[in-house]
Amino acid sequence: MPRGLFITLEGLDGSGKTTQIKRLGAWMARRGLAVIETRQPGGTAAGERIREILLDSRSGTLAPLTEVALAFAARAQAIVEVIEPALAAGKMVLCDRFTDSTEAYQGGGRELGSAIVLELHRLICGDLQPDLTLLLLPGFEASLARARRRNDRMEQATGTNEGRFEQEQDAFYRRVWQKYREIAAREPERVVLIEGDLGIDEVHEQIVEAVSERLVLAG
Ligand code: TMP
């Protein structure tokens, strides 16, 4: 059985990834492809608990290396429990964030640099790399405003939030943004950059185009 494709979506908070993953998953399912959707951090029982620690604003100031360790702990479990079995069974795996997020947020945003993240990826994830990464980078100001609005709504509705990162200063997000662009420039074969303030439909069309190309290549 041919292995499935591993497709990741990346971008700043508020970039619209989650909406696009759902639409892409539905598009693939309509074409008769077996597809699973998962997310990082999360995707497994342990991973979702790790997500809470990483994202809950009550976790206070986690050290940057703690963030990296938590992100890779969730990832290690997801690879064994979810991602590898699905790919081996010929399924398409759509993953909301993967190691590029750790490189952008902890390597860039927290200024740990790329090397430590790439080395941990090698040790923990081996040679598992996405076949395709869709990087959504709408206008910086627009995505930041959207992330903050979403965070306020969640806090009002539930009294809690996943907002440790949304509460960061603009300078943090600028570094994340910059690191994402660096990754896209370094790996143009893997990373398809979808830029600008496009509508949901336009972004979906660009995603479908990129995915269709890979599906043809994969035969
Ligand atoms: P999201 O699931 O709403 O995209 O939010 C996940 C948040 O976690 C987002 O702010 C990015 C952050 N994050 C990291 O800082 N490092 C990581 O390795 C991952 C996967 C996410």
Side-chain angles (χ1 to χ4, degrees):
M1 158 160 339
R3 199 172 148 83
L5 288 182
F6 182 31
I7 299 175
T8 58
L9 269 88
E10 293 283 352
L12 291 192
D13 306 77
S15 60
K17 286 176 295 91
T18 311
T19 306
Q20 293 297 338
I21 274 213
K22 289 205 182 80
R23 288 196 60 174
L24 177 58
W27 180 88
M28 287 180 141
R30 281 200 301 279
R31 270 148 196 81
L33 296 165
V35 52
I36 66 154
E37 291 165 36
T38 185
R39 69 174 181 177
Q40 289 279 294
T44 64
E48 291 294 330
R49 291 171 69 186
I50 293 169
R51 179 184 179 92
E52 275 175 36
I53 299 172
L54 190 58
L55 303 191
D56 192 333
S57 53
R58 288 167 301 191
S59 294
T61 46
L62 290 178
L65 282 173
T66 309
E67 292 181 358
V68 170
L70 288 170
F72 275 105
R75 193 160 302 137
Q77 189 63 26
I79 290 171
V80 170
E81 213 178 299
V82 177
I83 298 172
E84 273 299 344
L87 293 173
K91 292 183 184 156
M92 305 289 152
V93 175
L94 304 184
C95 194
D96 194 335
R97 300 191 180 280
F98 198 62
T99 296
D100 293 328
S101 283
T102 319
E103 190 178 345
Y105 282 76
Q106 280 68 46
R110 299 286 190 232
E111 300 182 278
L112 286 177
S114 293
I116 185 170
V117 176
L118 298 178
E119 180 65 1
L120 281 169
H121 180 89
R122 193 181 64 77
L123 291 169
I124 291 170
C125 312
D127 53 10
L128 178 65
Q129 286 291 353
D131 296 295
L132 171 65
T133 295
L134 300 154
L135 172 55
L136 309 189
L137 284 185
F140 178 77
E141 303 297 340
S143 33
L144 208 59
R146 206 149 87 200
R148 296 214 157 115
R149 274 201 304 275
R150 183 181 60 179
N151 198 43
D152 289 347
R153 274 200 309 274
M154 194 190 290
E155 190 151 25
Q156 272 169 13
T158 64
T160 180
N161 65 55
E162 284 195 334
R164 281 190 63 245
F165 291 95
E166 275 100 336
Q167 285 160 12
E168 285 297 334
Q169 302 302 314
D170 288 10
F172 171 87
Y173 273 105
R174 291 246 175 238
R175 292 194 296 272
V176 175
W177 173 274
Q178 196 48 44
K179 187 58 85 175
Y180 267 135
R181 300 194 70 90
E182 207 181 297
I183 297 169
R186 185 182 72 209
E187 296 183 55
E189 292 289 306
R190 171 173 72 86
V191 182
V192 171
L193 180 57
I194 300 177
E195 286 186 280
D197 289 316
L198 305 172
I200 292 178
D201 291 341
E202 284 171 295
V203 173
H204 177 64
E205 276 163 31
Q206 291 199 19
I207 287 178
V208 161
E209 196 179 314
V211 170
S212 300
E213 262 176 40
R214 300 296 155 128
L215 287 171
V216 171
L217 286 179

